[in-house]
Amino acid sequence: MFGLGWPEIVALVVIALLVFGPEKLPQAASQAGKTLRNLRRMANNARDDLRTGLGPEFADFDPADLNPKNFVRKHLTADLEDDWNATSATTATAEPASHAMSDADELGYGEVPPYDSDAT
């Protein structure tokens, strides 16, 4: 939960007890829960409004995709994986794995080198 371990959570509870006191702590926790629910509802409504406003072309739009890490993972590496899978499928059927390459054999663009289980 937010990268907090048990010692940090216990420290936060002790600080909350000291700040609010045992009488007002349940009220403060209830108010914090209500505030979190309201924030979550507002975020979900904003996301739904954005999807509705963008139209059907962006039905699969996720605001988390705007994070650079997610964007790169989704768009760039997915294309690389698709290319890799397509290339390995075509070369696996074109040439048997037991074919030993000589120095004169060269791999073409996108070809996967033969796999030698004894070399690994």
Side-chain angles (χ1 to χ4, degrees):
M1 181 172 96
F2 303 115
L4 298 175
W6 286 108
E8 291 88 0
I9 292 173
V10 169
L12 289 173
V13 169
V14 169
I15 291 171
L17 274 171
L18 292 175
V19 170
F20 296 110
E23 297 85 23
K24 292 187 180 182
L25 186 61
Q27 293 172 349
S30 173
Q31 185 65 31
K34 288 178 185 177
T35 302
L36 285 175
R37 275 193 301 274
N38 287 337
L39 287 173
R40 186 175 294 134
R41 187 176 337 120
M42 287 173 29
N44 288 337
N45 287 340
R47 185 186 63 223
D48 293 340
D49 289 345
L50 183 63
R51 284 184 179 162
T52 303
L54 289 174
E57 299 87 22
F58 295 98
D60 62 344
F61 174 73
D62 186 13
D65 292 339
L66 298 176
N67 183 340
K69 287 182 181 179
N70 294 341
F71 181 83
V72 168
R73 187 178 303 125
K74 182 176 180 180
H75 294 288
L76 297 180
T77 58
D79 293 341
L80 292 174
E81 289 174 2
D82 292 343
D83 291 344
W84 173 260
N85 291 336
T87 303
S88 61
T90 58
T91 45
T93 58
E95 187 174 343
S98 63
H99 173 70
M101 291 182 60
S102 67
D103 292 336
D105 291 340
E106 292 186 23
L107 292 176
Y109 178 76
E111 291 183 1
V112 178
Y115 177 75
D116 185 7
S117 61
D118 294 332
T120 56

